[in-house]
Amino acid sequence: MSKQKKSGNTQHFSRITSTLMTIYVLFYLCVFPLATHDKYFDILDFRFKLYWIPTLIYGILFLVLGILYLIADKRENGGALTAKLKENLKWSVLKTKLTKTDICFIALIFIMTLSVLFADYQYEALWGSRGRFNGLVLWLMFFIAYWLVTRFYHFKKWHLYAYLIAACLPEIWGITDFFMLDLRHFHVGGAAEYIYTFVSSVGNINTYTNMVALHFGAAVTLFVLSNSRWEKLLTFVAVVISSFAIVMGISDNGLLAAGAIFAFLPFVAWTSRQNITRFFITFSIFATSVLVTAYLTTQHATIAVADGGSVLVTIGKTKAFMLLTAALWLLTMVIAVLFHRKKSAEQEAKTTRAARRIWLVLFIVAVVAVIAVLVDANSGRHPEIWEAYKNVLIFSDTWGTGRGINWRFAWEFFTEKSSFLDKLIGNGPDTYYIITMDNFKHLMKDAGYGIFDSAHNEYLECLVTIGVLGTIAYIGMLATSLRQMLKNRKNVYAVACGFAILAYAVQAVVNIAIPITTPIFMILLYVGINNSQSSNFEKGTL
């Protein structure tokens, strides 16, 4: 067989797999967030099936395509590619090709499988049927998707911009639900109290906010780093919509997600004076969205009336925050005037380096201030100051709408009731409900919280359900992929995916993983990895 024909077959196979993966990625980034079947009544079950069944089909399809490709190679090329594949599968070669993220993910699936095999409730751990369907089956689908997206998908920047546009739709829907308009009548037939806690195409406000956090992280990053006018305009619109959406979600995990973006983005994105200006524009927009949302809660009926709103809304009602927002806009305008003209490369580097150092100092001061506030609030010395924020600042069993007692139960079970093997590999993925019902049923009811089917802390739940080894593997997968996405500042699309993932990862400290939104998180993670490991990542072409 000629080299030309061999190359043609390879290109044909590549086009087929690339097209299939483009459809897959765009579906889960742009269509999946809006997909529903019977309003909120079956949204978890529907989204779970909408992810695992097509992903399994894709896995089988790619396996068949691979077999057919090898058969064609044997017939027309004497099995040259098959021989090369066998060579690459040798450990001496394979270990040089596997990335750190690959290894962490393989380890995670291996540990999860062991956890299921040694679990007391194997079926429930396999499917996650007594929790949120976060069992081994879902993670095996994530594993299949990981290899498909990172190896066969060909990134185009318009895919990411398509996601930015599409993600605005459920957010606009969520903003209308903030005013309890229920334009799509999703609350008809449901419990009356759900109008305060279920919004958009997602459902629970905590889950909705973690989806918005992904969009917010990507939108802010791309706006700061974008170059062309149409990119700036599109990302500006996305920043405005996602800013209001994340605040109007009335969930405190939004504060953590936004805080992570604004705290860490300057260290990566402040590479030019214009980038610094755009960063402060986004910061000012976000502050304004807090101020406006807080004002609207005093003028209109909103979902914030249920429990007084979030910490952001509470802060937004203060006169001090109003003055701070005005000062922030003034600072932004001053910076815009000073940094309007682009300087020489040497001057740009000098200015941005100094700016990053100043931000580092401010970051350290802010961390120290937060620690000081937490210490003072929990010491009980000035209760009158911290009363309005006690649900966030003062740690107790009632902290975080019951997260305090929930986390205490989780830690008590892990440290006092788990065997050595359970500490290593857990009791089976997504078996938290079973664990709490078997060990803390009466205590939960006496505390007035009914049941806890999730720890409301992804990492703590990992510790209990898949053990120390599984938690290390999961955090290792996130850490290595984030490092890969953020290491090259010039690759703005990988950086944008990285900050979307960072926003989700930080808010996960007080939130749950649920397949209503985790497929979006995972696909963005894989897209970022794919783009960051490409030697010819896109710099401006569609």
Side-chain angles (χ1 to χ4, degrees):
M1 181 182 181
S2 68
K3 289 184 178 181
Q4 186 177 1
K5 188 172 182 181
K6 175 183 173 183
S7 176
N9 287 342
T10 301
Q11 289 176 2
H12 185 60
F13 177 76
S14 179
R15 281 196 299 270
I16 292 173
T17 56
S18 175
T19 301
L20 287 171
M21 290 315 303
T22 295
I23 294 170
Y24 181 88
V25 166
L26 290 178
F27 176 81
Y28 285 107
L29 289 184
C30 302
V31 180
F32 183 82
L34 283 166
T36 59
H37 174 254
D38 186 18
K39 303 176 182 178
Y40 297 130
F41 300 111
D42 68 343
I43 191 166
L44 175 57
D45 181 67
F46 176 70
R47 290 274 181 96
F48 173 57
K49 290 177 180 176
L50 190 59
Y51 184 72
W52 83 261
I53 294 175
T55 301
L56 179 61
I57 292 172
Y58 253 74
I60 295 171
L61 176 60
F62 269 70
L63 181 62
V64 171
L65 285 174
I67 292 172
L68 292 176
Y69 183 64
L70 293 177
I71 291 173
D73 169 63
K74 188 173 181 64
R75 282 183 175 180
E76 301 178 15
N77 197 35
L81 291 175
T82 305
K84 186 177 179 180
L85 176 63
K86 289 180 180 179
E87 181 67 25
N88 287 337
L89 288 176
K90 291 181 179 179
W91 175 244
S92 58
V93 178
L94 189 62
K95 67 181 181 180
T96 64
K97 294 181 177 296
L98 290 175
T99 67
K100 292 178 181 178
T101 306
D102 294 341
I103 295 169
C104 287
F105 210 161
I106 291 170
L108 177 62
I109 294 300
F110 178 71
I111 293 163
M112 279 188 164
T113 303
L114 289 178
S115 185
V116 170
L117 292 175
F118 285 94
D120 293 331
Y121 299 89
Q122 292 180 331
Y123 178 85
E124 290 78 4
L126 179 66
W127 285 97
S129 56
R130 298 305 297 272
R132 308 295 179 97
F133 295 116
N134 285 311
L136 180 60
V137 168
L138 179 68
W139 278 94
L140 286 173
M141 297 307 106
F142 286 150
F143 191 59
I144 290 172
Y146 173 78
W147 295 104
L148 295 182
V149 177
T150 58
R151 266 58 179 185
F152 297 102
Y153 168 67
H154 290 173
F155 175 80
K156 295 289 184 182
K157 77 175 185 179
W158 73 263
H159 298 170
L160 202 52
Y161 285 109
Y163 162 68
L164 285 189
I165 296 169
C168 290
L169 300 179
E171 290 175 358
I172 293 171
W173 180 352
I175 290 171
T176 66
D177 282 339
F178 170 76
F179 296 101
M180 299 189 292
L181 298 179
D182 194 23
L183 296 178
R184 297 203 59 196
H185 310 295
F186 265 47
H187 289 285
V188 176
E193 62 268 21
Y194 285 168
I195 197 168
Y196 301 108
T197 57
F198 277 56
V199 298
S200 188
S201 57
V202 176
N204 186 275
I205 55 175
N206 295 317
T207 307
Y208 166 75
T209 308
N210 77 38
M211 181 187 73
V212 177
L214 290 166
H215 185 225
F216 180 77
V220 169
T221 305
L222 283 175
F223 176 71
V224 172
L225 296 175
S226 60
N227 292 314
S228 70
R229 288 186 178 181
W230 75 265
E231 288 175 334
K232 292 174 185 176
L233 178 61
L234 191 153
T235 53
F236 176 80
V237 172
V239 167
V240 173
I241 293 174
S242 61
S243 292
F244 276 95
I246 204 169
V247 177
M248 290 182 173
I250 311 298
S251 176
D252 291 330
N253 57 335
L255 172 60
L256 290 178
I261 297 300
F262 290 124
F264 295 106
L265 185 59
F267 300 116
V268 177
W270 284 9
T271 55
S272 73
R273 291 149 63 97
Q274 286 75 17
N275 289 3
I276 296 175
T277 300
R278 288 198 291 269
F279 171 84
F280 278 99
I281 290 173
T282 62
F283 205 171
S284 300
I285 290 171
F286 179 77
T288 303
S289 70
V290 174
L291 199 64
V292 172
T293 301
Y295 173 76
L296 289 172
T297 61
T298 66
Q299 303 297 314
H300 302 277
T302 68
I303 62 175
V305 302
D307 58 0
S310 64
V311 173
L312 283 173
V313 169
T314 303
I315 293 173
K317 292 178 180 179
T318 63
K319 186 176 181 180
F321 188 79
M322 184 186 301
L323 295 174
L324 182 63
T325 302
L328 186 57
W329 273 113
L330 181 61
L331 175 63
T332 300
M333 287 186 284
V334 170
I335 291 174
V337 171
L338 292 176
F339 291 171
H340 176 64
R341 291 185 178 180
K342 192 172 183 179
K343 301 293 184 179
S344 65
E346 184 180 349
Q347 287 177 310
E348 288 277 324
K350 184 178 179 180
T351 301
T352 55
R353 186 164 53 248
R356 289 195 296 271
R357 288 174 179 171
I358 293 171
W359 191 260
L360 177 60
V361 172
L362 293 175
F363 177 79
I364 294 172
V365 170
V367 170
V368 172
V370 169
I371 294 173
V373 167
L374 290 175
V375 170
D376 189 68
N378 286 276
S379 68
R381 287 195 293 266
H382 304 98
E384 71 284 357
I385 298 176
W386 311 117
E387 178 64 25
Y389 313 101
K390 64 180 181 180
N391 194 44
V392 173
L393 299 178
I394 301 175
F395 299 112
S396 65
D397 280 355
T398 59
W399 179 86
T401 322
R403 283 172 175 78
I405 192 171
N406 193 0
W407 293 1
R408 180 165 65 82
F409 287 156
W411 186 249
E412 180 181 325
F413 176 80
F414 179 77
T415 56
E416 300 177 13
K417 299 186 178 184
S418 295
S419 66
F420 178 72
L421 182 63
D422 289 341
K423 284 183 172 65
L424 289 180
I425 62 173
N427 293 265
D430 208 9
T431 55
Y432 193 81
Y433 169 81
I434 298 172
I435 291 169
T436 54
M437 290 298 287
D438 285 352
N439 294 274
F440 306 106
K441 180 178 180 179
H442 298 296
L443 291 174
M444 287 189 296
K445 290 185 177 180
D446 291 343
Y449 292 107
I451 63 170
F452 290 130
D453 59 359
S454 171
H456 280 274
N457 180 325
E458 284 194 32
Y459 310 105
L460 181 59
E461 183 159 345
C462 282
L463 191 65
V464 173
T465 58
I466 58 175
V468 173
L469 297 180
T471 305
I472 291 173
Y474 178 58
I475 294 176
M477 182 187 76
L478 292 181
T480 54
S481 57
L482 272 173
R483 183 179 182 276
Q484 185 173 328
M485 285 184 276
L486 300 179
K487 67 181 180 181
N488 188 347
R489 296 177 182 179
K490 293 181 180 180
N491 190 344
V492 297
Y493 309 110
V495 171
C497 290
F499 275 95
I501 300 309
L502 178 65
Y504 180 97
V506 171
Q507 65 81 43
V509 173
V510 295
N511 210 350
I512 64 175
I514 186 168
I516 293 175
T517 55
T518 46
I520 308 168
F521 163 66
M522 286 295 183
I523 298 302
L524 273 176
L525 176 69
Y526 304 159
V527 168
I529 293 171
N530 173 285
N531 185 231
S532 64
Q533 66 190 10
S534 173
S535 60
N536 57 341
F537 63 83
E538 290 191 310
K539 297 180 180 179
T541 61
L542 289 173

